Amino acid sequence: MSFTVAIDGPAAAGKGTISKGVAAHFGFSHLDTGLLYRAVGRRTLDGTSAVTAAQTLTAEELQQGDLRTAEIAQAASKVAVIPEVRAALVDFQRAFALRKGGAVLDGRDIGTVICPQAEVKLFVTASAEVRAERRFLELAAKGGDATRDQVLADVRERDMRDAERSTAPMKPADDAVLLDTSNLSIEDALAQAVSLIEVKFPV
Ligand code: DC
């Protein structure tokens, strides 16, 4: 039996934590689709063409090194604008979504383009200031030296590029449930996501 949960939204809204929690709660497989774009973005930093990198991407690349740096995030957002890059990553994501036992995918276009038939669609968001503060603390904990202002500017730049591109822009699907985590603890955000899914998941 397949059962797909699509979780979309901007950077640092809480998608990743909610997706991992949902996967653990229901025993679903989880795919952070941002890692695909980050792995492609990282290859372009070495001079590889983005389309070649996407067409030859391997699962191992997703495990190698730290893909969650600010530099790779910007590179990911830039390659994500290219239609051929997005097209090269579709089959892998769709196959993952149909895994037996259920799957949760988080990204920007899961509910709109990759899995329009998903049983549950959530669009997780929060104000740019709250998201930048979370990302700032995350990067600082890893020893990064970016200032709060730089992180906020980065978040805004990426939001704009992700939402305004012409292919698969970040936006809620018409049938997505919006979850604003600006004033929610992670436990409360996860509890809300779990109860929305429980209504649809045949246990
Ligand atoms: O979720 P993230 O911050 O790891 O994503 C990095 C970039 O990848 C994001 O700025 C846009 C792109 N992306 C995308 O275009 N579509 C997805 N499904 C996931 C990520």
Side-chain angles (χ1 to χ4, degrees), residues 15 33-34 37-38 76-77 80 86 107-109 158 162 165:
K15 299 187 302 288
T33 65
Y37 294 90
R38 284 173 183 260
S77 171
R86 307 199 67 84
R108 303 289 187 290
D109 63 338
R158 208 140 68 87
D162 294 346
R165 66 181 176 226

Side-chain angles (χ1 to χ4, degrees), residues 157-198:
E157 186 187 334
R158 208 140 68 87
D159 280 358
M160 201 182 295
R161 200 184 299 113
D162 294 346
E164 291 183 1
R165 66 181 176 226
S166 46
T167 307
M170 168 177 74
K171 64 171 182 198
D174 292 340
D175 51 351
V177 176
L178 294 188
L179 186 54
D180 187 329
T181 67
S182 302
N183 299 309
L184 288 182
S185 68
I186 192 58
E187 291 78 18
D188 289 344
L190 177 58
Q192 289 199 17
V194 165
S195 25
L196 286 164
I197 296 165
E198 264 166 359

Side-chain angles (χ1 to χ4, degrees), residues 62-78:
L62 306 181
Q63 317 289 336
Q64 287 160 359
D66 184 9
L67 285 168
R68 296 178 202 284
T69 68
E71 188 189 19
I72 294 177
Q74 286 294 348
S77 171
K78 287 179 190 157

Side-chain angles (χ1 to χ4, degrees), residues 77-161:
S77 171
K78 287 179 190 157
V79 301
V81 168
I82 305 168
E84 292 84 354
V85 166
R86 307 199 67 84
L89 303 175
V90 168
D91 289 351
F92 177 76
Q93 295 175 82
R94 290 199 176 139
F96 192 98
L98 296 178
R99 282 194 178 190
K100 283 211 186 77
V104 49
L105 284 79
D106 69 284
R108 303 289 187 290
D109 63 338
I110 307 303
T112 49
V113 173
I114 302 295
C115 305
Q117 314 301 334
E119 278 77 6
V120 180
K121 298 180 189 176
L122 302 181
F123 193 86
V124 180
T125 186
S127 72
E129 288 74 14
V130 167
R131 290 185 291 114
E133 181 64 16
R134 289 176 187 160
R135 192 42 61 87
F136 170 74
L137 295 174
E138 216 175 277
L139 294 171
K142 288 200 295 187
D145 55 5
T147 64
R148 284 190 160 78
D149 284 352
Q150 280 165 343
V151 176
L152 178 58
D154 254 34
V155 159
R156 290 210 162 111
E157 186 187 334
R158 208 140 68 87
D159 280 358
M160 201 182 295
R161 200 184 299 113

